[in-house]
Amino acid sequence: MKAAAFTKLSFFLILVVLSTNSIFSQESYQLGGVPKPNEPIIWTGQILSDEDQSPVINAVLQSVGGVNAITDLDGNFSIPLDQKTYRFTISALGFKDMEIQLNARSSGNLSLTLTVESVLIDEVIVSGASEQDQIKEITPGLQRLNAEQLENQSKFFGEIDILRSLQSISGVNNTGEGASGFNVRGGNTDQNLILQDGHLIFNPSHALGFFSLFHPDLVQYVDLYKGGIPAKYGGRLSSVLAVETRDGSKEKFKLRGGIGMVSSRLSAEGPIIKDKVSFIVGSRYSYADWIFNIADNPQVQNSSAFFNDVTAKINARISQTTNFGASFLRSRDDFQLGEEARFDYSTISGEAYLKQLIGDKANLTLRANKGRYQSSLFDLKGNDQSKFTNAIDYLRGKVDVLYIISDTYKLNIGADVNIYEVSPGEIEPLENSFILPDILGKEKGQELALYIENQFNLSDNLEISAGLRYTNFNNIGPNTVNIYPEDQIKTDRNIINVQSFEDGASIASYSGFEPRASVRYELNELNSIKLGYAKTYQYLAQISNTASATPIDIWQLANQHVAPQYSDNFSIGYFKNFGVKKYESSVEAFYRKSVGILDYKDFAKLLLNKHIETELVTGEGLAYGVEFNFRKQTGSFRWDANYTFSSSTRNVQPTNTQVGINRGEWYSSNYDIPHVFNLSVFKQFENRTNLSVNFTYRSGRPTTAPVSSYNSDNVLSVPIYSDRNKFRVPDFHRLDVAYTIGPFGKNMDKFDQSITLSVYNLYSRRNAYSVYFRQNPFDSVKAIRVATLGSIFPSITYNFNLK
């Protein structure tokens, strides 16, 4: 029932809605054909939304006789039945309840459609997640966000942003404003596997970290695995971010978008063939240069920032058991800092998928993805003007089978293959430049993985997920490899030979088993305990000697000189609901030990280095911490508070073949942030307005600083630096506020509008992104604080929705 209809209904009807809280539709169905004596009956199917045919997650199917089932992330379910007639009620938050009569004769597939119901009366707030999710969900450390939850988070220039919303979750942060990517539980930014549908994402940020490339109006839900990682995911050490976009409506054309002060967005969806084939497409375009023009600094006035992206998807329902689709993603950024330098980076990716129901119990998914990430750095000043470019091309395939043996046992098996081609660097001179053109040889790698995972209930209270993943990686030719003495530190001066490999020849090969396990013990309907373990391998690392990833950082495949990284991840958590399930609380502890972590020599030269292994060192990493979460998730007033204490340290020992760091002592990683506190408050008012307030506090990240100086010949005050990462930049804290008016309009069943007024950094905190040190002639070294956004940023955004 749409909100605008309340002005046309009588008071009597409102009382009926409030008293029943559901509207039933009664229909009769027959499952299967000719009955087969003594053969077990399995009802499989999918629950879909009537609005856009998207799967309904956590829909509950319940019969009078006590037969129950809950739909999974794809809206699928499986129920064992007897040969008789049942009466089922199907319910899900945000949808009208549905009551059916089912005559079960033999096994078969029968899918159902629920009608969307968005009713807002005083304290009634539709939520997209079950109140029992955190108790029932088996995976520790899994955080799910749907479109409504994202709407309640911080809005930068009035727009929902996935990455900023993630940073309000316990255990997730970044190194500061303007930093690309995100860090999870003490891991590096390159240790997160990022997927949008089947697209592999290497850089999820726009505008050097201020926006994410995920179109907010197309996102259906977001899953962040930061603890127990399922066996179907691999290739990264810290976490998995899986973003799922909506299928377009197969019923009617829809249009929505927004016009803001920095960027605008537009999305459209609708049927190509009604009830069978649909499309959805969205795009964003920025125009942020005016912000630089109002600055007092001439260099800032000459700066510019531009980004745009396009996401498109076609979905076809070939039959009741077969879905086919294809999607496309393209994003591009162009950022110039004064007259000094310019960044240009882009992602382009295409994907095709097939989803097939096989028989009554198995779901088959096939995916193929091909893409490219490319970045360029333009040096625009002086006689050495140049363009430096690096890129990574990838081809991926995946087959996944979910076999629902019973309502208490699921089996997931599959395989995936990744083929990478890394172009580590090419430099081209610009006009009037003395730079000579140069190019590094490409690297190729093949990664194959096989996995199996069992999820089963040992009792009503105990559920276990046990899986195993096997990975094999090959670095292949054509390429050349530098040879060094076995008992000497690698330097460019002691290369004793160069070995050449033909096309397809194996240069280096690695493999390993990755066991995964999750356990959930439900003490009662309000309390549960969860345990998780995951061993993960990573054969692709990002090469950077900055605190935060930048667009020009290159990706390094495991090879003869660089071994893969691997880690053991442990987690344990206690989860409790109380206050008639209005409140959720949890405490989770985590521990991760990593081997083969890459770091860099002091003053390392990383770009266009033909012997980059001489600048790299490897060591161990240790991350541990505890996360406290507390939230009120129902009603018109909701809030979420969390606090994380964590430690992320490294150790690089000196050996015969490498130098050590800090004399082999443990030191803080660049992204070690011990204390993080987040508070989000959301209030829905009766006059169709809402207010969201978000506050965050983080400890300052580590940095290296000069501690003394000395005089040498004619050079005065030569600085002597401290041990690596011994000091810290000032602490970070910020308050953001957003007030939304609407939706409003004369006929909101067809068209509604809203206006969002937001203020970023309300009290103008000059948070330090970094601290660097400058020394003028005949002067001592001085610390300079760099604040990316050091002032308040108000904005207004107009949003519209043609339904």
Side-chain angles (χ1 to χ4, degrees):
M1 184 181 294
K2 300 298 181 181
F6 282 104
T7 60
K8 303 176 182 179
L9 293 178
S10 65
F11 180 73
F12 172 76
L13 246 180
I14 296 178
L15 291 177
V16 171
V17 173
L18 287 172
S19 62
T20 64
N21 200 30
S22 62
I23 300 175
F24 292 92
S25 60
Q26 301 181 11
E27 297 184 48
S28 296
Y29 295 89
Q30 177 174 297
L31 181 67
V34 179
K36 299 178 181 179
N38 302 322
E39 180 177 296
I41 298 175
I42 303 292
W43 175 22
T44 58
Q46 187 180 33
I47 304 299
L48 302 170
S49 166
D50 73 325
E51 188 173 74
D52 55 11
Q53 297 301 302
S54 61
V56 179
I57 305 170
N58 292 322
V60 178
L61 296 88
Q62 186 171 27
S63 75
V64 176
V67 179
N68 301 313
I70 300 177
T71 59
D72 61 16
L73 293 177
D74 293 317
N76 296 317
F77 65 90
S78 175
I79 309 176
L81 300 174
D82 295 326
Q83 210 171 87
K84 65 178 185 180
T85 299
Y86 291 84
R87 182 179 176 184
F88 274 92
T89 299
I90 301 95
S91 60
L93 289 174
F95 295 87
K96 297 179 182 179
D97 288 356
M98 181 181 189
E99 188 176 85
I100 69 168
Q101 181 173 292
L102 181 72
N103 181 18
R105 299 171 63 85
S106 62
S107 295
N109 177 264
L110 174 64
S111 297
L112 301 170
T113 301
L114 293 183
T115 302
V116 174
E117 178 184 39
S118 54
V119 180
L120 174 62
I121 306 175
D122 193 21
E123 288 293 309
V124 180
I125 297 289
V126 174
S127 174
S130 167
E131 297 165 344
Q132 292 295 88
D133 271 0
Q134 80 151 3
I135 302 298
K136 299 280 188 186
E137 172 58 51
I138 186 173
T139 307
L142 171 60
Q143 184 70 46
R144 285 182 173 145
L145 295 175
N146 57 31
E148 181 201 3
Q149 292 168 317
L150 293 170
E151 182 68 34
N152 301 340
Q153 299 296 326
S154 171
K155 297 180 177 66
F156 183 62
F157 283 104
E159 183 175 295
I160 300 170
D161 190 89
I162 302 296
L163 293 187
R164 291 188 177 274
S165 297
L166 288 177
Q167 291 164 28
S168 68
I169 296 173
S170 59
V172 183
N173 53 54
N174 71 357
T175 54
E177 291 171 325
S180 298
F182 57 98
N183 306 93
V184 178
R185 289 184 170 179
N188 200 0
T189 55
D190 72 326
Q191 295 173 355
N192 306 309
L193 176 64
I194 304 174
L195 301 169
Q196 177 175 295
D197 298 325
H199 301 276
L200 179 62
I201 307 298
F202 283 92
N203 186 346
S205 302
H206 280 309
L208 300 182
F210 286 111
F211 298 88
S212 68
L213 62 73
F214 307 108
H215 193 296
D217 293 337
L218 271 61
V219 172
Q220 181 176 336
Y221 62 87
V222 177
D223 281 348
L224 177 67
Y225 295 89
K226 55 180 180 173
I229 300 176
K232 65 180 179 180
Y233 296 118
R236 301 293 188 273
L237 300 188
S238 293
S239 74
V240 176
L241 174 63
V243 178
E244 290 292 327
T245 59
R246 298 184 293 110
D247 293 336
S249 172
K250 292 182 174 65
E251 304 295 326
K252 57 183 179 180
F253 178 81
K254 300 179 182 181
L255 188 71
R256 65 188 305 179
I259 302 172
M261 298 174 63
V262 172
S263 66
S264 292
R265 67 187 192 280
L266 182 67
S267 66
E269 60 181 292
I272 299 176
I273 301 175
K274 192 171 183 181
D275 298 327
K276 290 184 177 296
V277 183
S278 67
F279 78 93
I280 187 169
V281 59
S283 180
R284 291 183 299 171
Y285 189 93
S286 73
Y287 34 84
D289 291 357
W290 65 268
I291 296 178
F292 300 103
N293 294 332
I294 63 177
D296 294 332
N297 190 323
Q299 182 175 2
V300 176
Q301 290 177 353
N302 292 326
S303 299
S304 63
F306 164 82
F307 72 82
N308 77 312
D309 57 49
V310 177
T311 303
K313 186 177 183 181
I314 293 177
N315 180 269
R317 185 186 301 166
I318 300 174
S319 68
Q320 287 293 326
T321 61
T322 307
N323 264 33
F324 174 79
S327 60
F328 173 80
L329 170 66
R330 182 189 182 278
S331 73
R332 179 175 176 267
D333 278 73
D334 193 334
F335 181 88
Q336 181 165 330
L337 179 62
E339 299 177 354
E340 300 286 338
R342 176 182 150 213
F343 295 99
D344 188 329
Y345 55 102
S346 62
T347 296
I348 184 167
S349 178
E351 184 222 11
Y353 63 89
L354 174 71
K355 296 182 179 181
Q356 175 71 50
L357 181 64
I358 302 175
D360 300 326
K361 300 179 180 180
N363 292 283
L364 169 69
T365 301
L366 301 174
R367 291 187 182 275
N369 169 226
K370 180 176 176 57
R372 176 181 176 87
Y373 173 70
Q374 177 177 303
S375 61
S376 298
L377 169 65
F378 295 81
D379 191 339
L380 304 175
K381 203 168 184 179
N383 295 325
D384 57 353
Q385 299 179 42
S386 62
K387 175 186 177 181
F388 174 82
T389 301
N390 63 69
I392 179 168
D393 294 271
Y394 47 93
L395 178 64
R396 308 174 64 242
K398 187 179 183 73
V399 55
D400 181 272
V401 180
L402 176 62
Y403 191 64
I404 304 174
I405 298 174
S406 69
D407 59 342
T408 60
Y409 182 31
K410 297 178 182 178
L411 176 65
N412 191 199
I413 59 176
D416 57 61
V417 61
N418 296 272
I419 300 174
Y420 305 106
E421 184 175 84
V422 177
S423 303
E426 177 182 1
I427 193 167
E428 304 172 53
L430 299 180
E431 188 176 357
N432 300 322
S433 174
F434 296 134
I435 294 292
L436 297 176
D438 198 3
I439 185 171
L440 298 181
K442 295 181 179 180
E443 280 196 280
K444 294 182 180 180
Q446 298 175 344
E447 180 182 354
L448 172 67
L450 306 173
Y451 61 87
I452 181 171
E453 190 152 33
N454 297 271
Q455 185 174 333
F456 50 91
N457 293 75
L458 289 181
S459 67
D460 291 340
N461 296 335
L462 181 60
E463 186 175 9
I464 296 176
S465 176
L468 182 65
R469 183 181 180 91
Y470 172 78
T471 57
N472 176 265
F473 178 83
N474 272 286
N475 188 304
I476 60 175
N479 209 342
T480 58
V481 177
N482 298 320
I483 306 299
Y484 301 86
E486 294 183 358
D487 58 348
Q488 296 182 26
I489 293 176
K490 295 184 179 72
T491 68
D492 58 343
R493 295 186 298 273
N494 64 0
I495 299 175
I496 59 176
N497 198 2
V498 176
Q499 186 176 2
S500 297
F501 292 85
E502 296 179 354
D503 189 11
S506 177
I507 298 175
S509 180
Y510 302 94
S511 61
F513 288 95
E514 305 178 24
R516 313 286 176 87
S518 296
V519 178
R520 188 262 303 160
Y521 183 74
E522 192 173 339
L523 302 173
N524 53 49
E525 65 174 5
L526 297 177
N527 298 268
S528 67
I529 296 173
K530 302 176 188 179
L531 304 172
Y533 169 74
K535 187 180 186 69
T536 53
Y537 278 84
Q538 182 166 332
Y539 301 100
L540 184 65
Q542 195 171 33
I543 303 298
S544 171
N545 58 358
T546 60
S548 170
T550 65
I552 61 167
D553 292 335
I554 61 177
W555 290 83
Q556 174 67 55
L557 295 173
N559 57 32
Q560 281 191 352
H561 299 299
V562 179
Q565 307 171 62
Y566 64 91
S567 69
D568 293 283
N569 301 272
F570 301 87
S571 60
I572 181 172
Y574 172 66
F575 301 81
K576 179 178 178 59
N577 290 353
F578 56 94
V580 199
K581 303 177 185 177
K582 290 184 178 180
Y583 299 91
E584 289 183 356
S585 65
S586 67
V587 54
E588 290 186 79
F590 62 90
Y591 176 91
R592 179 193 303 119
K593 183 176 181 179
S594 304
V595 177
I597 299 298
L598 290 179
D599 216 320
Y600 319 97
K601 296 179 180 178
D602 293 334
F603 311 109
K605 178 183 180 296
L606 301 180
L607 298 185
L608 213 67
N609 191 332
K610 296 183 179 180
H611 35 77
I612 195 170
E613 62 273 5
T614 63
E615 305 290 348
L616 305 178
V617 291
T618 60
E620 295 182 328
L622 186 63
Y624 60 86
V626 59
E627 303 166 359
F628 299 89
N629 296 274
F630 197 82
R631 68 174 61 90
K632 180 179 184 293
Q633 64 168 7
T634 61
S636 63
F637 178 74
R638 285 172 282 171
W639 49 269
D640 187 329
N642 61 70
Y643 165 74
T644 302
F645 166 77
S646 64
S647 173
S648 177
T649 57
R650 292 183 165 193
N651 181 272
V652 176
Q653 291 288 335
T655 67
N656 290 337
T657 58
Q658 72 172 21
V659 298
I661 296 179
N662 290 3
R663 301 168 303 281
E665 300 175 358
W666 286 88
Y667 62 98
S668 297
S669 64
N670 287 334
Y671 37 85
D672 175 50
I673 301 178
H675 304 283
V676 179
F677 173 75
N678 294 299
L679 175 64
S680 300
V681 178
F682 177 81
K683 172 62 178 176
Q684 177 74 52
F685 299 100
E686 295 183 18
N687 60 349
R688 297 191 182 282
T689 63
N690 65 69
L691 175 70
S692 63
V693 179
N694 296 272
F695 173 79
T696 184
Y697 165 85
R698 298 196 295 263
S699 301
R701 67 169 182 82
T703 190
T704 306
V707 292
S708 62
S709 63
Y710 68 93
N711 299 331
S712 174
D713 296 331
N714 296 326
V715 181
L716 300 178
S717 299
V718 178
I720 300 175
Y721 281 82
S722 69
D723 286 349
R724 187 173 297 187
N725 292 344
K726 186 175 182 179
F727 296 95
R728 292 184 179 272
V729 303
D731 291 354
F732 177 102
H733 50 88
R734 192 188 71 237
L735 179 65
D736 307 323
V737 178
Y739 183 71
T740 299
I741 304 170
F744 57 83
K746 293 183 179 180
N747 188 357
M748 287 196 295
D749 284 343
K750 297 182 178 180
F751 182 76
D752 66 51
Q753 308 163 76
S754 67
I755 295 175
T756 297
L757 308 170
S758 63
V759 180
Y760 184 87
N761 196 12
L762 182 64
Y763 51 82
S764 294
R765 166 73 175 177
R766 295 189 73 250
N767 288 302
Y769 170 69
S770 66
V771 174
Y772 71 93
F773 302 89
R774 175 185 295 168
Q775 183 179 19
N776 295 322
F778 309 103
D779 198 0
S780 60
V781 177
K782 294 182 180 179
I784 308 295
R785 173 193 287 210
V786 178
T788 309
L789 289 180
S791 61
I792 186 173
F793 273 80
S795 65
I796 180 171
T797 302
Y798 167 74
N799 304 286
F800 59 89
N801 185 12
L802 176 64
K803 304 176 183 179

